[in-house]
Amino acid sequence: LLSSPPVAKPCPSERTRRDIFDGLAKKWDSTVRFDEFKSGIGRCRRRLIQRAEGDVLEVAIGSGRNFSYYNSAKVRSVTGVDFSRAMLEVADGKRAELQPIPLKLKLAHSQRLDFQDGAFDTVVDTFGICSFEEPVEALREMRRVLKDDGQVLLLEHGASNWEMVQGLLNRSIHGHVEKYGCYPNRKIAALVREAGLHIVLDERKHFGTTYVLVCRKSAPVLEEE
């Protein structure tokens, strides 16, 4: 079948993928800017990030492409983590885009977040799940550091619900990982649910390959009548 998984092949190690991101960091914005504009990803970022409030953790913050979309009337602080030092250096140079919101940047792995349980009102990840070595563990960490009434905001690319498109993703997976360090054929919603998060908004674009998800820590408790 077209949508069948690709033939097994060793994937790049975590260190190799980090080196890929380090090498892309300085030119990342110019590399993706036109494609994001053409495909409407910039609008998706804006709509999603405008939901953020309180103390925000942005995981896999990369080059800080979301900074200009945070609403200072709703957001108290932004803490950003990434495993690529070079990406963090690019993000650090964009602090003016986030002002007057305070920004802290930290070198960290997504599956081992050095924060207390329930530390953040909002956790944001945009196009990170595709690149995590252990995506479910990373999502569980996001859930752990989220307050009970908090929200996880996700903008991701992943598996398509169109067989032909999924087949294309599967056949090109190894070249894509080696070039960009990410896996664009993952079943994002299934990973999110496996991590224990409850999806309250699920929008798809681009033949189902772009996911806009708003999640809560747990499903709401229904009161008995």
Side-chain angles (χ1 to χ4, degrees):
L1 292 176
L2 284 173
S3 58
S4 298
V7 176
K9 175 183 175 182
C11 291
S13 66
E14 177 102 343
R15 181 172 181 175
T16 298
R17 288 170 44 259
R18 185 188 63 208
D19 290 343
I20 291 172
F21 285 113
D22 283 347
L24 290 170
K26 290 184 178 179
K27 58 185 179 182
W28 184 245
D29 287 338
S30 60
T31 298
V32 302
R33 184 178 293 117
F34 178 72
D35 284 343
E36 287 203 356
F37 172 78
K38 180 177 63 175
S39 63
I41 292 298
R43 293 190 297 275
C44 291
R45 287 183 184 273
R46 181 184 297 277
R47 286 178 53 226
L48 187 69
I49 301 304
Q50 286 288 304
R51 291 174 173 267
E53 57 187 20
D55 294 313
V56 177
L57 172 66
E58 185 169 341
V59 180
I61 200 166
S63 64
R65 292 191 62 76
N66 295 323
F67 284 177
S68 62
Y69 303 133
Y70 283 104
N71 184 344
S72 62
K74 297 167 61 179
V75 175
R76 279 191 302 272
S77 68
V78 173
T79 300
V81 299
D82 204 285
F83 78 156
S84 167
R85 188 180 299 276
M87 284 287 191
L88 288 174
E89 289 172 354
V90 175
D92 190 54
K94 296 181 177 179
R95 287 178 177 269
E97 294 184 18
L98 197 58
Q99 289 180 353
I101 302 170
L103 171 66
K104 296 179 182 178
L105 295 173
K106 187 171 185 177
L107 187 68
H109 288 270
S110 59
Q111 64 268 29
R112 296 188 299 275
L113 297 175
D114 187 20
F115 303 106
Q116 294 182 348
D117 295 358
F120 297 96
D121 301 285
T122 304
V123 178
V124 172
D125 179 89
T126 56
F127 303 109
I129 294 176
C130 60
S131 64
F132 296 152
E133 197 75 9
E134 301 174 29
V136 174
E137 287 305 310
L139 286 160
R140 285 174 178 157
E141 278 290 272
M142 294 183 208
R143 183 178 185 275
R144 179 185 65 79
V145 302
L146 185 68
K147 292 181 180 179
D148 288 342
D149 60 349
Q151 59 180 342
V152 175
L153 307 178
L154 303 173
L155 174 59
E156 310 290 344
H157 58 193
S160 173
N161 46 16
W162 290 54
E163 183 177 354
M164 183 174 292
V165 176
Q166 185 64 15
L168 292 172
L169 292 176
N170 286 339
R171 289 197 297 276
S172 64
I173 183 66
H174 295 296
H176 193 91
V177 175
E178 290 167 1
K179 185 175 182 179
Y180 296 110
C182 71
Y183 303 82
N185 66 341
R186 287 177 170 171
K187 296 180 179 180
I188 302 299
L191 295 172
V192 169
R193 294 189 179 98
E194 185 178 346
L197 289 163
H198 176 68
I199 299 173
V200 296
L201 175 68
D202 183 346
E203 295 181 356
R204 307 289 176 90
K205 302 179 183 300
H206 309 126
F207 301 100
T209 63
T210 300
Y211 296 63
V212 180
L213 304 177
V214 177
C215 311
R216 295 291 179 180
K217 193 165 188 175
S218 303
V221 177
L222 300 177
E223 296 183 0
E224 295 183 4
E225 295 183 359

